[in-house]
Amino acid sequence: MELSADFGHEKGQDDLIDLQSALGSLRRVHDQWTQKPFQASMLTGRKIILSDETMGAISDLEIATARCDTEIGLSPHCTTMARLMSRMEGVCAAIANGFPADYRVCCYLDYFTAKAKASPEAIGTLVAQATGASLPVIQASLCGRQIEAIVARLLNEECAIASMTPERIVSLNDALCRAINPTWELGMRTWDYRAPEDGRAMAYQPPAASDLRSYLEDISTFVTDSKLSPVAKAALVFFQLDAVRMFPRHFDQLGRIISFYMWKHTDLVRHVIPPISATPAIHPKKHQEKLKPYLYQGETTDMLLLDDWIYHVARSTQNAVELELASYRELCALLRGWHQALQRTGVRPSATLSSLLETLVANPVFSITSLSEDAEIAFSTTGRFVESLEAAGIVSQVTDRRRNRLYECPEALAFFGKMIPELT
């Protein structure tokens, strides 16, 4: 599908020197820019005044999100959609951060991780043999699965027992770091950024390491106490994490994870979290707007800068809601088509069949045993249904062994690529 706006926030840059260099080059071209470096200030001390256009963008997004969440939440496909969107978020997040995750490989990893009693290395070998995927693709897809799991936990947790404490922000970042690259340093950075050795002034000055705890506590207090809308708050936290650079490695996903938390804990969403990483993943080369918060021109006030950033986030996040709704429509059409195909082979509609087809969409790589367990349907009944599904061309067997035969559902595996073909 074609989305209507671009997120414009370039995939995460781990090395601030690249950002400083880009800003230095831009400043040399546009000599009207001031030499004053951009420095972050506390969120709780800011007076946030937003333009009518930005308030309108926020309202449009919140209305669209609430309508979409209600429609999906009241449908029989709610659980399936939550699984699909969380998986889509994981894959898109990995791609947005430069890792070649693959939706089909994620589904094979789901199956072998849950059903194969093997080491991670052995599971990687099994997935490579089944899919032909390279080791980097398998590792990137594993990263996507781990991010999916974090999103799913945030969606399922009870509002009353969770809070975005400083310790939790650090633990979320550490969990994401372990998902992206297990060798990355964890915890907050303990070192300071230094000015360039060539004597040029820094265009962007993150806080000293000794000040980071106060910024972290400020973010936590802001998330809890601010009366702004969850969309505006999420955008400002995203901005602040970029500006402070409190962790040794920086990538965009932590801001999105905290956004999910705020959306869920303010009841903006209750059932399904739209995959807001999709837009930057679709256009990884069109993210010049990443520099926007740090282009501190002499005539640009902090208020206008933040207003522009919040508007940009609200407009682009609406893409994710559009994608979520389009995915829901596609899921309904897919299930309707399967029911019709099975009826043509003589299979009668039933609640058991509907439950099995829902499970099939969420678990498109399966054995009869795994499908029986996931759908909570008797093994013999599942076996008969699988025979009917194979006869209708909905599933196909991918192994030729007599026992523990492995199947896949091509249409369900192609769901991601059909919705956002740019990423395939």
Side-chain angles (χ1 to χ4, degrees), residues 235-254:
L236 287 168
V237 170
F238 206 151
F239 178 95
Q240 190 76 339
L241 288 168
D242 245 9
V244 173
R245 297 295 171 101
M246 62 181 59
F247 301 106
R249 293 281 183 169
H250 179 82
F251 51 98
D252 290 347
Q253 194 59 30
L254 179 60

Side-chain angles (χ1 to χ4, degrees), residues 213-422:
R213 180 69 189 185
S214 60
Y215 279 94
L216 184 61
E217 292 172 349
D218 174 68
I219 289 175
S220 177
T221 301
F222 178 76
V223 169
T224 303
D225 296 345
S226 174
K227 303 304 182 184
L228 291 171
S229 75
V231 171
K233 284 205 298 185
L236 287 168
V237 170
F238 206 151
F239 178 95
Q240 190 76 339
L241 288 168
D242 245 9
V244 173
R245 297 295 171 101
M246 62 181 59
F247 301 106
R249 293 281 183 169
H250 179 82
F251 51 98
D252 290 347
Q253 194 59 30
L254 179 60
R256 297 190 186 99
I257 289 293
I258 296 177
S259 297
F260 293 149
Y261 167 85
M262 286 189 283
W263 285 28
K264 174 66 164 59
H265 287 257
T266 54
D267 269 350
L268 182 60
V269 296
R270 294 184 180 182
H271 308 288
V272 180
I273 293 176
I276 62 176
S277 289
T279 312
I282 290 172
H283 300 298
K285 296 181 180 179
K286 297 181 180 179
H287 295 173
Q288 300 305 319
E289 298 294 331
K290 168 84 174 196
L291 302 177
K292 210 167 185 181
Y294 315 119
L295 305 185
Y296 207 67
Q297 295 172 274
E299 296 180 357
T300 301
T301 66
D302 191 58
M303 185 185 302
L304 292 176
L305 183 148
L306 292 177
D307 179 80
D308 184 67
W309 172 253
I310 294 171
Y311 174 80
H312 199 65
V313 170
R315 282 293 298 121
S316 60
T317 306
Q318 191 158 345
N319 282 339
V321 179
E322 294 171 7
L323 177 61
E324 180 185 32
L325 187 58
S327 296
Y328 172 69
R329 302 278 189 253
E330 181 63 27
L331 173 62
C332 292
L334 184 65
L335 292 171
R336 187 165 54 248
W338 288 352
H339 276 286
Q340 292 170 352
L342 287 168
Q343 285 180 357
R344 288 194 292 269
T345 65
V347 178
R348 302 177 66 177
S350 67
T352 302
L353 176 61
S354 295
S355 175
L356 185 137
L357 294 181
E358 291 279 350
T359 305
L360 182 62
V361 177
N363 302 277
V365 177
F366 64 95
S367 66
I368 295 177
T369 300
S370 71
L371 188 62
S372 170
E373 293 173 350
D374 291 334
E376 299 181 346
I377 298 173
F379 179 88
S380 57
T381 303
T382 303
R384 290 194 297 273
F385 274 132
V386 170
E387 289 179 0
S388 298
L389 290 168
E390 197 170 7
I394 295 172
V395 305
S396 58
Q397 186 176 330
V398 294
T399 57
D400 55 7
R401 55 181 180 256
R402 293 176 61 87
R403 300 184 62 182
N404 297 320
R405 289 171 291 183
L406 191 63
Y407 297 84
E408 65 174 39
C409 177
E411 284 187 288
L413 288 171
F415 186 88
F416 178 83
K418 188 171 185 178
M419 299 314 301
I420 37 180
E422 296 94 329

Side-chain angles (χ1 to χ4, degrees), residues 17 20 192-205:
I17 301 303
Q20 293 172 350
D192 296 336
Y193 286 105
R194 297 181 179 179
E197 294 182 358
D198 59 9
R200 291 187 293 110
M202 293 181 71
Y204 170 46
Q205 179 63 64

